Amino acid sequence: MMPLAMADTGEVNTIRKVSGNEETRRFLENLGFVIGSEVTVLSAIGGNVIVNIKDSRIAINADMARHIMI
């Protein structure tokens, strides 16, 4: 398991764990980051990532990306 921030660009990964406090987990789940979902990193700059999840493109900062384990 590794944080989403460390994933290779273009690689399809499965979310295994979402950590953080309750508010952070709920925020990420509302964006579609739930356990078992497939996520693809489209771009990564300085730990900030743009991902494709559930047919949507979402940009998250490095801190949020560290809470998502793949």
Coordinates of all heavy atoms in Angstrom, one line a residue:
M1 N 0.8 -1.2 0.0 CA 0.0 0.0 0.0 C 0.9 1.2 0.0 O 1.9 1.3 0.7 CB -0.9 0.0 1.2 CG -2.3 0.0 0.9 SD -3.6 0.0 2.2 CE -2.8 0.0 3.7
M2 N 0.5 2.2 -0.8 CA 1.2 3.5 -0.8 C 0.2 4.6 -1.0 O -0.9 4.4 -1.5 CB 2.2 3.5 -1.9 CG 1.7 3.4 -3.3 SD 3.0 3.5 -4.5 CE 2.1 3.3 -6.0
P3 N 0.6 5.9 -0.7 CA -0.3 7.0 -0.9 C -0.5 7.3 -2.4 O 0.4 7.1 -3.2 CB 0.4 8.2 -0.2 CG 1.6 7.6 0.4 CD 1.8 6.2 0.0
L4 N -1.6 7.8 -2.7 CA -2.0 8.2 -4.1 C -0.9 9.2 -4.7 O -0.6 9.2 -5.8 CB -3.4 8.8 -4.1 CG -3.9 9.2 -5.5 CD1 -4.0 8.0 -6.4 CD2 -5.2 9.9 -5.4
A5 N -0.4 10.0 -3.8 CA 0.6 11.0 -4.3 C 1.8 10.4 -4.9 O 2.6 11.0 -5.7 CB 1.0 11.9 -3.1
M6 N 2.1 9.1 -4.6 CA 3.3 8.4 -5.1 C 3.0 7.6 -6.3 O 3.9 6.9 -6.9 CB 3.9 7.5 -4.0 CG 4.4 8.3 -2.8 SD 5.1 7.2 -1.5 CE 6.4 6.4 -2.4
A7 N 1.7 7.5 -6.8 CA 1.4 6.7 -7.9 C 1.9 7.2 -9.2 O 2.2 8.4 -9.4 CB -0.2 6.6 -8.0
D8 N 2.2 6.3 -10.1 CA 2.7 6.7 -11.5 C 1.6 7.2 -12.3 O 0.5 6.8 -12.3 CB 3.3 5.5 -12.1 CG 4.6 5.0 -11.4 OD1 5.3 5.8 -10.8 OD2 4.9 3.8 -11.5
T9 N 1.9 8.2 -13.2 CA 1.0 8.8 -14.1 C 0.5 7.8 -15.1 O 1.3 7.0 -15.6 CB 1.6 10.0 -14.8 OG1 2.1 10.9 -13.8 CG2 0.6 10.7 -15.7
G10 N -0.8 7.7 -15.3 CA -1.4 6.8 -16.3 C -1.7 5.4 -15.8 O -2.3 4.6 -16.4
E11 N -1.3 5.1 -14.6 CA -1.5 3.8 -14.0 C -2.8 3.7 -13.3 O -3.2 4.6 -12.5 CB -0.4 3.5 -13.0 CG -0.3 2.1 -12.4 CD 0.9 2.0 -11.5 OE1 2.0 1.8 -12.0 OE2 0.7 2.1 -10.3
V12 N -3.6 2.6 -13.5 CA -4.9 2.4 -12.9 C -4.6 1.7 -11.6 O -4.0 0.7 -11.5 CB -5.8 1.6 -13.8 CG1 -7.1 1.3 -13.1 CG2 -6.1 2.3 -15.1
N13 N -5.2 2.3 -10.5 CA -5.0 1.7 -9.1 C -6.3 1.6 -8.5 O -7.3 2.3 -8.8 CB -4.1 2.7 -8.3 CG -2.7 2.8 -8.8 OD1 -1.9 1.8 -8.7 ND2 -2.4 3.9 -9.4
T14 N -6.4 0.8 -7.5 CA -7.6 0.6 -6.7 C -7.4 1.2 -5.3 O -6.4 0.9 -4.7 CB -8.0 -0.9 -6.5 OG1 -8.1 -1.5 -7.9 CG2 -9.3 -1.1 -5.8
I15 N -8.4 1.9 -4.8 CA -8.3 2.5 -3.5 C -8.5 1.5 -2.4 O -9.5 0.7 -2.5 CB -9.4 3.7 -3.3 CG1 -9.1 4.8 -4.3 CG2 -9.4 4.2 -1.9 CD1 -10.1 5.8 -4.4
R16 N -7.6 1.4 -1.5 CA -7.6 0.4 -0.5 C -8.0 0.9 0.9 O -8.5 0.2 1.7 CB -6.3 -0.3 -0.3 CG -5.9 -1.1 -1.6 CD -4.6 -1.8 -1.4 NE -4.3 -2.5 -2.6 CZ -3.2 -3.3 -2.8 NH1 -2.4 -3.4 -1.7 NH2 -2.9 -3.9 -3.9
K17 N -7.7 2.2 1.1 CA -8.0 2.8 2.4 C -8.0 4.3 2.3 O -7.3 4.9 1.5 CB -6.9 2.4 3.4 CG -7.0 3.0 4.8 CD -5.9 2.6 5.7 CE -6.0 3.2 7.1 NZ -4.9 2.9 7.9
V18 N -8.9 5.0 3.0 CA -9.0 6.4 3.1 C -8.9 6.8 4.6 O -9.7 6.4 5.4 CB -10.3 7.0 2.5 CG1 -10.4 8.5 2.6 CG2 -10.5 6.5 1.1
S19 N -7.8 7.5 4.9 CA -7.5 7.8 6.3 C -7.8 9.3 6.6 O -8.3 10.0 5.7 CB -6.1 7.5 6.6 OG -5.2 8.3 5.8
G20 N -7.5 9.7 7.8 CA -7.7 11.1 8.2 C -8.9 11.2 9.1 O -9.5 10.2 9.5
N21 N -9.2 12.4 9.5 CA -10.3 12.6 10.5 C -11.6 12.4 9.8 O -11.7 12.3 8.5 CB -10.2 14.0 11.2 CG -10.3 15.1 10.3 OD1 -11.0 15.1 9.2 ND2 -9.7 16.2 10.6
E22 N -12.7 12.4 10.5 CA -14.0 12.1 9.9 C -14.4 13.1 8.8 O -14.9 12.7 7.8 CB -15.1 12.1 11.1 CG -16.5 11.8 10.6 CD -16.7 10.4 10.1 OE1 -15.9 9.5 10.5 OE2 -17.5 10.2 9.2
E23 N -14.1 14.3 9.0 CA -14.5 15.4 8.0 C -13.7 15.1 6.7 O -14.3 15.2 5.7 CB -14.2 16.7 8.6 CG -14.5 17.9 7.7 CD -14.2 19.2 8.3 OE1 -13.9 19.3 9.5 OE2 -14.3 20.2 7.5
T24 N -12.4 14.8 6.8 CA -11.6 14.6 5.7 C -12.1 13.3 4.9 O -12.2 13.4 3.7 CB -10.1 14.4 6.1 OG1 -9.7 15.6 6.7 CG2 -9.2 14.1 4.8
R25 N -12.4 12.3 5.6 CA -12.8 11.0 5.0 C -14.2 11.3 4.3 O -14.4 10.8 3.1 CB -13.0 9.9 6.0 CG -11.6 9.3 6.4 CD -11.8 8.0 7.1 NE -12.8 8.0 8.2 CZ -12.6 8.2 9.4 NH1 -11.4 8.6 9.9 NH2 -13.6 8.2 10.3
R26 N -15.1 12.0 4.9 CA -16.4 12.2 4.3 C -16.2 13.1 3.1 O -16.9 12.9 2.1 CB -17.3 12.9 5.4 CG -18.7 13.0 4.9 CD -19.7 13.6 5.9 NE -19.6 13.0 7.2 CZ -19.3 13.6 8.3 NH1 -19.0 14.9 8.3 NH2 -19.2 12.9 9.5
F27 N -15.4 14.1 3.1 CA -15.1 15.0 2.0 C -14.6 14.2 0.8 O -15.1 14.3 -0.3 CB -14.1 16.1 2.3 CG -13.7 16.9 1.2 CD1 -14.5 17.9 0.7 CD2 -12.4 16.7 0.6 CE1 -14.1 18.7 -0.4 CE2 -12.0 17.5 -0.5 CZ -12.9 18.5 -1.0
L28 N -13.6 13.3 1.0 CA -13.1 12.5 0.0 C -14.1 11.5 -0.6 O -14.2 11.2 -1.8 CB -11.8 11.8 0.4 CG -10.6 12.7 0.7 CD1 -9.5 11.9 1.4 CD2 -10.1 13.3 -0.6
E29 N -14.9 10.9 0.3 CA -15.9 10.0 -0.1 C -17.0 10.7 -1.0 O -17.4 10.1 -2.0 CB -16.6 9.3 1.1 CG -15.7 8.3 1.7 CD -16.3 7.7 3.0 OE1 -17.5 8.0 3.4 OE2 -15.6 6.9 3.7
N30 N -17.3 11.9 -0.7 CA -18.3 12.6 -1.5 C -17.7 13.0 -2.9 O -18.5 13.1 -3.8 CB -18.7 14.0 -0.8 CG -19.6 13.7 0.4 OD1 -20.3 12.7 0.5 ND2 -19.6 14.7 1.3
L31 N -16.4 13.0 -3.0 CA -15.8 13.2 -4.3 C -15.7 11.9 -5.1 O -15.3 11.9 -6.3 CB -14.3 13.8 -4.2 CG -14.3 15.3 -3.7 CD1 -12.8 15.7 -3.4 CD2 -14.9 16.2 -4.6
G32 N -15.9 10.8 -4.5 CA -15.8 9.5 -5.1 C -14.7 8.6 -4.7 O -14.5 7.5 -5.2
F33 N -13.9 9.1 -3.7 CA -12.8 8.3 -3.3 C -13.2 7.3 -2.2 O -13.1 7.5 -1.0 CB -11.7 9.2 -2.7 CG -11.0 10.1 -3.8 CD1 -11.5 11.3 -4.0 CD2 -10.0 9.6 -4.6 CE1 -10.9 12.2 -5.0 CE2 -9.4 10.4 -5.5 CZ -9.9 11.7 -5.7
V34 N -13.8 6.2 -2.6 CA -14.3 5.1 -1.7 C -13.5 3.9 -2.0 O -12.9 3.6 -3.1 CB -15.8 4.9 -1.9 CG1 -16.6 6.1 -1.5 CG2 -16.1 4.5 -3.3
I35 N -13.4 3.0 -1.0 CA -12.6 1.8 -1.0 C -13.2 0.9 -2.2 O -14.4 0.7 -2.3 CB -12.7 1.0 0.3 CG1 -12.0 1.9 1.4 CG2 -12.0 -0.3 0.2 CD1 -12.1 1.4 2.8
G36 N -12.2 0.4 -3.0 CA -12.6 -0.4 -4.1 C -12.8 0.3 -5.4 O -12.8 -0.3 -6.5
S37 N -12.8 1.6 -5.4 CA -12.9 2.4 -6.6 C -11.6 2.4 -7.4 O -10.5 2.4 -6.8 CB -13.3 3.8 -6.3 OG -14.6 3.9 -5.8
E38 N -11.7 2.5 -8.7 CA -10.4 2.6 -9.5 C -10.1 4.0 -9.7 O -11.0 4.8 -10.0 CB -10.6 1.8 -10.8 CG -10.6 0.3 -10.7 CD -10.5 -0.4 -12.0 OE1 -10.8 0.2 -13.0 OE2 -10.2 -1.6 -12.0
V39 N -8.9 4.4 -9.6 CA -8.4 5.8 -9.8 C -7.2 5.8 -10.7 O -6.3 4.9 -10.5 CB -8.2 6.4 -8.4 CG1 -7.1 5.7 -7.6 CG2 -7.8 7.9 -8.6
T40 N -7.1 6.7 -11.6 CA -6.0 6.9 -12.5 C -5.4 8.3 -12.3 O -6.1 9.3 -12.4 CB -6.4 6.7 -14.0 OG1 -7.1 5.5 -14.1 CG2 -5.2 6.7 -14.9
V41 N -4.1 8.4 -12.1 CA -3.4 9.7 -12.0 C -3.2 10.2 -13.4 O -2.5 9.5 -14.2 CB -2.1 9.5 -11.2 CG1 -1.4 10.9 -11.2 CG2 -2.4 9.1 -9.7
L42 N -3.7 11.3 -13.7 CA -3.5 11.9 -15.0 C -2.3 12.9 -15.0 O -1.6 13.0 -16.0 CB -4.8 12.7 -15.4 CG -6.1 11.9 -15.5 CD1 -7.2 12.8 -15.8 CD2 -6.0 10.8 -16.5
S43 N -2.1 13.6 -13.9 CA -1.0 14.5 -13.8 C -0.6 14.7 -12.3 O -1.4 14.6 -11.5 CB -1.4 15.9 -14.4 OG -0.5 16.8 -14.1
A44 N 0.7 14.8 -12.1 CA 1.2 15.0 -10.7 C 2.3 16.1 -10.7 O 3.3 15.9 -11.4 CB 1.7 13.7 -10.1
I45 N 2.1 17.2 -10.0 CA 3.1 18.2 -9.9 C 3.2 18.6 -8.5 O 2.3 19.1 -7.8 CB 2.6 19.5 -10.7 CG1 2.4 19.1 -12.2 CG2 3.6 20.6 -10.6 CD1 1.7 20.2 -13.0
G46 N 4.4 18.3 -7.9 CA 4.7 18.7 -6.5 C 3.8 18.0 -5.5 O 3.6 18.5 -4.5
G47 N 3.4 16.8 -5.8 CA 2.5 16.1 -4.9 C 1.0 16.3 -5.1 O 0.2 15.5 -4.7
N48 N 0.7 17.5 -5.8 CA -0.7 17.7 -6.2 C -1.0 16.9 -7.4 O -0.2 16.7 -8.3 CB -0.9 19.2 -6.5 CG -0.5 20.1 -5.4 OD1 -0.8 19.8 -4.2 ND2 0.1 21.2 -5.7
V49 N -2.2 16.3 -7.4 CA -2.5 15.3 -8.4 C -3.9 15.7 -9.1 O -4.8 16.2 -8.4 CB -2.6 13.9 -7.9 CG1 -1.2 13.4 -7.5 CG2 -3.5 13.7 -6.8
I50 N -4.0 15.4 -10.4 CA -5.2 15.4 -11.1 C -5.5 13.9 -11.4 O -4.7 13.2 -12.0 CB -5.2 16.2 -12.4 CG1 -4.8 17.7 -12.0 CG2 -6.5 16.1 -13.1 CD1 -4.6 18.6 -13.2
V51 N -6.7 13.5 -11.0 CA -7.0 12.1 -11.1 C -8.3 11.9 -11.9 O -9.2 12.8 -12.0 CB -7.2 11.3 -9.8 CG1 -5.9 11.4 -9.0 CG2 -8.3 11.9 -8.9
N52 N -8.5 10.7 -12.5 CA -9.7 10.3 -13.1 C -10.4 9.3 -12.3 O -9.8 8.2 -12.0 CB -9.5 9.8 -14.5 CG -10.7 9.6 -15.3 OD1 -11.8 10.0 -14.9 ND2 -10.6 9.0 -16.5
I53 N -11.6 9.6 -11.7 CA -12.3 8.6 -10.9 C -13.7 8.7 -11.2 O -14.3 9.8 -11.3 CB -12.0 8.9 -9.4 CG1 -12.6 7.8 -8.5 CG2 -12.4 10.3 -8.9 CD1 -12.1 7.8 -7.1
K54 N -14.3 7.6 -11.4 CA -15.8 7.5 -11.8 C -16.1 8.4 -12.9 O -17.1 9.2 -12.8 CB -16.6 7.7 -10.5 CG -16.4 6.6 -9.5 CD -17.4 6.8 -8.3 CE -17.2 5.7 -7.3 NZ -18.1 5.7 -6.3
D55 N -15.4 8.4 -14.0 CA -15.6 9.2 -15.2 C -15.6 10.7 -14.9 O -16.2 11.5 -15.6 CB -17.0 8.9 -15.8 CG -17.0 7.4 -16.3 OD1 -15.9 6.9 -16.7 OD2 -18.0 6.8 -16.2
S56 N -14.9 11.2 -13.8 CA -14.7 12.6 -13.5 C -13.2 12.9 -13.3 O -12.5 12.1 -12.8 CB -15.5 12.9 -12.3 OG -16.8 12.7 -12.4
R57 N -12.8 14.1 -13.7 CA -11.5 14.6 -13.4 C -11.6 15.4 -12.1 O -12.3 16.4 -12.1 CB -10.9 15.4 -14.5 CG -10.5 14.6 -15.7 CD -9.8 15.4 -16.7 NE -9.4 14.6 -17.8 CZ -8.8 15.0 -18.9 NH1 -8.4 16.3 -18.9 NH2 -8.5 14.2 -19.8
I58 N -10.7 15.1 -11.2 CA -10.7 15.8 -9.9 C -9.2 16.2 -9.5 O -8.3 15.3 -9.7 CB -11.3 15.0 -8.8 CG1 -12.8 14.7 -9.1 CG2 -11.2 15.7 -7.4 CD1 -13.4 13.7 -8.1
A59 N -9.0 17.4 -9.1 CA -7.7 17.8 -8.7 C -7.7 17.9 -7.1 O -8.6 18.4 -6.5 CB -7.4 19.2 -9.2
I60 N -6.7 17.3 -6.5 CA -6.6 17.3 -5.1 C -5.1 17.7 -4.7 O -4.2 17.4 -5.5 CB -7.0 16.0 -4.4 CG1 -6.2 14.8 -4.9 CG2 -8.5 15.7 -4.5 CD1 -6.5 13.5 -4.2
N61 N -5.0 18.3 -3.6 CA -3.7 18.8 -3.1 C -2.9 17.6 -2.5 O -3.4 16.5 -2.3 CB -3.8 20.0 -2.2 CG -4.4 19.6 -0.9 OD1 -4.5 18.5 -0.5 ND2 -5.0 20.7 -0.2
A62 N -1.6 17.8 -2.3 CA -0.7 16.8 -1.8 C -1.2 16.2 -0.5 O -1.1 15.0 -0.2 CB 0.7 17.3 -1.7
D63 N -1.7 17.1 0.4 CA -2.2 16.6 1.7 C -3.3 15.6 1.6 O -3.3 14.6 2.3 CB -2.6 17.8 2.6 CG -2.9 17.4 4.0 OD1 -2.2 16.7 4.6 OD2 -4.0 17.9 4.5
M64 N -4.3 16.0 0.8 CA -5.4 15.0 0.6 C -5.0 13.7 -0.1 O -5.4 12.7 0.2 CB -6.5 15.7 -0.3 CG -7.3 16.8 0.4 SD -8.3 16.1 1.7 CE -8.8 17.6 2.5
A65 N -4.0 13.9 -1.0 CA -3.5 12.7 -1.8 C -2.8 11.7 -0.8 O -2.8 10.5 -1.0 CB -2.6 13.1 -2.9
R66 N -2.2 12.2 0.3 CA -1.6 11.4 1.2 C -2.5 10.6 2.1 O -2.2 9.6 2.7 CB -0.6 12.2 2.1 CG 0.6 12.6 1.5 CD 1.6 13.2 2.5 NE 1.2 14.5 3.0 CZ 1.5 15.6 2.4 NH1 2.3 15.7 1.3 NH2 1.1 16.8 2.9
H67 N -3.8 11.0 2.2 CA -4.8 10.3 2.9 C -5.4 9.1 2.2 O -6.1 8.3 2.7 CB -5.9 11.2 3.4 CG -5.5 12.2 4.4 ND1 -5.2 11.9 5.7 CD2 -5.4 13.6 4.4 CE1 -4.9 12.9 6.4 NE2 -5.0 14.0 5.6
I68 N -5.2 9.1 0.9 CA -5.8 8.0 0.0 C -4.7 7.0 -0.3 O -3.7 7.3 -0.9 CB -6.3 8.6 -1.3 CG1 -7.3 9.7 -1.0 CG2 -6.9 7.5 -2.2 CD1 -7.7 10.6 -2.2
M69 N -4.9 5.8 0.2 CA -3.9 4.7 0.0 C -4.4 3.7 -1.1 O -5.6 3.4 -1.2 CB -3.8 3.9 1.3 CG -3.4 4.7 2.5 SD -1.8 5.5 2.3 CE -0.7 4.2 2.6
I70 N -3.4 3.4 -1.9 CA -3.7 2.5 -3.1 C -2.9 1.2 -3.0 O -1.9 1.2 -2.3 CB -3.5 3.2 -4.4 CG1 -2.1 3.8 -4.5 CG2 -4.5 4.3 -4.6 CD1 -1.7 4.3 -5.8

